[in-house]
Amino acid sequence: MNSKEQKTVISTFEKEVYEGLTAFPKYLSSKYFYDEVGDELFQQIMALPEYYLTRTEYEIFKANKSEIVKSFDTYQKGFDLIELGAGDGKKTKILLQELQEKNYNFTYMPVDISQNAIDGLVSDLDKGMPQVKTQGQVGEYFEVLDRLRQMSDRKKVIMVLGSNIGNLLHPRAIQFLKKLYKAMHPEDLVFIGFDQKKHPQKVLDAYNDKTGVTAAFNKNVLSRINKELNGNFDLDKFIHWETYDPESGTAKSYLVSNEKQTVDINDLSLQVHFEAWESIHTEISQKYDDDIVKWLAEESGLEIVKSFTDKNEDYKNYLIKK
Ligand code: AVI
């Protein structure tokens, strides 16, 4: 493709930025937080004292690793462990180690939207756990799910960790689970993390840390527009704002313009006007309870087999079958 042809191809990023910033109210998708800088910021978030999710899921895995991996391979015939949104795989390594030590026959197939994350994870595993058969793939959840049925003819255990499903509104989460259902053979399983409802302040703190890493993460979508679409957002003219509705269990992130301003996005030939205190909605991080998870599963034709949790029941991993 020559450069002129390339210019006429509109990427999904361009299309979605255009749609979101010309809509009322304005929005951008949180999937665009993740580039090399965003991946690094998310690593920092996962290590924050306020961000309990990663630590708690890690503790659940440590305390239950033997029972968890046993439930993956009930017929002991081997399986493919497919992880959607694998990131750095830090928590997964506990399970990989256990599977390896107990001589399970499995292939690990991490999938992530970020090429950078997959490259890092695969090379890390090649060095640190060379006995684990690993096949990394880059892709977005929904697109990968379409390929999933063909991806392996062995039993599949599909993992979605980190409460990644929480970044989808319920109707979209149901669409996602329905796609999982379609991709599954009768013996396949889903192992999926859902962050639970808890003290609202604890949720707010997790998404509004004192050091401002989450604010920088949220603003990274604006940096990407500046870099990739030739925009001129002034990051200091936007504040990170978090809300949590304990009734719906929805945490929402916004970027709020602290003055009336106009931003140019040259590659889209777009001028975006902001009134003072106008917002861009950037992310939802849904919190759940057993009833909501059961409802989501049933709406999608799936059934909860069992769950694993921590002592405060802050977070749960559910084993789900077709
Ligand atoms: C990836 N995802 C589940 C994280 C969450 O908790 O919603 C992303 C995140 N956003 C702000 N902090 C972390």
Side-chain angles (χ1 to χ4, degrees), residues 33-34 42 45 51 53 161-167 195 206-207 214 217 242 253 283-287:
F33 292 168
Y34 303 88
F42 188 52
I45 287 175
Y51 196 73
L53 286 84
L161 306 181
S163 203
N164 283 350
I165 193 168
N167 296 133
D195 193 19
Y207 293 93
T214 310
F217 183 58
E242 192 67 26
S253 302
E283 186 178 50
I284 77 144
S285 298
Q286 182 65 39
K287 307 304 161 201

Side-chain angles (χ1 to χ4, degrees), residues 201-256:
Q201 193 60 52
K202 188 164 179 174
V203 176
L204 280 174
D205 292 347
Y207 293 93
N208 195 12
D209 64 281
K210 283 203 214 80
T211 40
V213 184
T214 310
F217 183 58
N218 195 4
K219 288 183 184 185
N220 192 46
V221 66
L222 304 184
S223 302
R224 285 194 66 183
I225 295 173
N226 284 350
K227 267 186 286 189
E228 295 171 38
L229 304 180
N230 199 5
N232 67 352
F233 276 101
D234 179 346
L235 271 49
D236 293 334
K237 292 186 180 168
F238 289 84
I239 60 162
H240 165 71
W241 193 255
E242 192 67 26
T243 66
Y244 177 63
D245 173 1
E247 186 179 58
S248 64
T250 311
K252 282 179 153 189
S253 302
Y254 297 91
L255 290 165
V256 182

